[in-house]
Amino acid sequence: MRYGNPSIRSRIDALTSQGCDRLLVVPLYPQYSAATSATVCDEVFRVLGDMRAQPTLRVTPPYYDDPDYIEALAVSIDTHLANLPFQPEIIVASFHGMPQKICRQGRPLSGALHRDHGRVAQAHGP
């Protein structure tokens, strides 16, 4: 999401060359993590740091618990389940791992993932 093409720099350059003077950055990671969403902001700040005339910048907060996001996940799950040729008995949710050291440092991602899963399960229903 951050390392692909088009690059953050190329998009900011394209927008500002067209007269854009306000940016809203939406990291495509719903839960905050220094290793993901924060690196998006780091790169945006790096790009803006090279500019003499900087646009106004806003960054969306984490949205893992936003009702519209939870509903979108539940709808996505329901859509995929409806296309299966069978009815699963159980759905297993899997999250990427996180070193215990990072969790002990008080990083909010782990708790957000568990809360997110609970809300999606509740919105999806039995």
Side-chain angles (χ1 to χ4, degrees):
M1 292 183 206
R2 172 171 123 41
Y3 299 102
N5 285 313
S7 69
I8 290 173
R9 180 176 295 279
S10 72
R11 296 300 82 208
I12 290 176
D13 288 346
L15 289 167
T16 56
S17 71
Q18 296 175 38
C20 176
D21 62 355
R22 294 183 295 164
L23 293 177
L24 173 62
V25 177
V26 182
L28 298 179
Y29 308 94
Q31 303 88 0
Y32 173 82
S33 173
T36 57
S37 47
T39 68
V40 171
C41 295
D42 291 344
E43 181 62 16
V44 170
F45 299 145
R46 234 184 318 276
V47 171
L48 295 180
D50 294 338
M51 301 171 71
R52 294 290 297 158
Q54 297 177 345
T56 300
L57 177 67
R58 288 180 40 201
V59 179
T60 59
Y63 52 92
Y64 65 90
D65 59 352
D66 183 279
D68 292 330
Y69 171 70
I70 299 299
E71 179 64 20
L73 290 178
V75 167
S76 177
I77 291 168
D78 289 342
T79 300
H80 287 286
L81 290 175
N83 290 315
L84 292 176
F86 62 92
Q87 179 76 28
E89 293 179 33
I90 190 170
I91 299 171
V92 177
S94 175
F95 303 103
H96 60 79
M98 177 167 289
Q100 286 295 315
K101 176 182 175 185
I102 290 176
C103 293
R104 285 191 297 270
Q105 291 174 340
R107 307 291 170 88
L109 177 60
S110 179
L113 289 173
H114 291 285
R115 288 187 301 275
D116 193 10
H117 172 263
R119 287 183 177 100
V120 171
Q122 187 176 29
H124 174 65

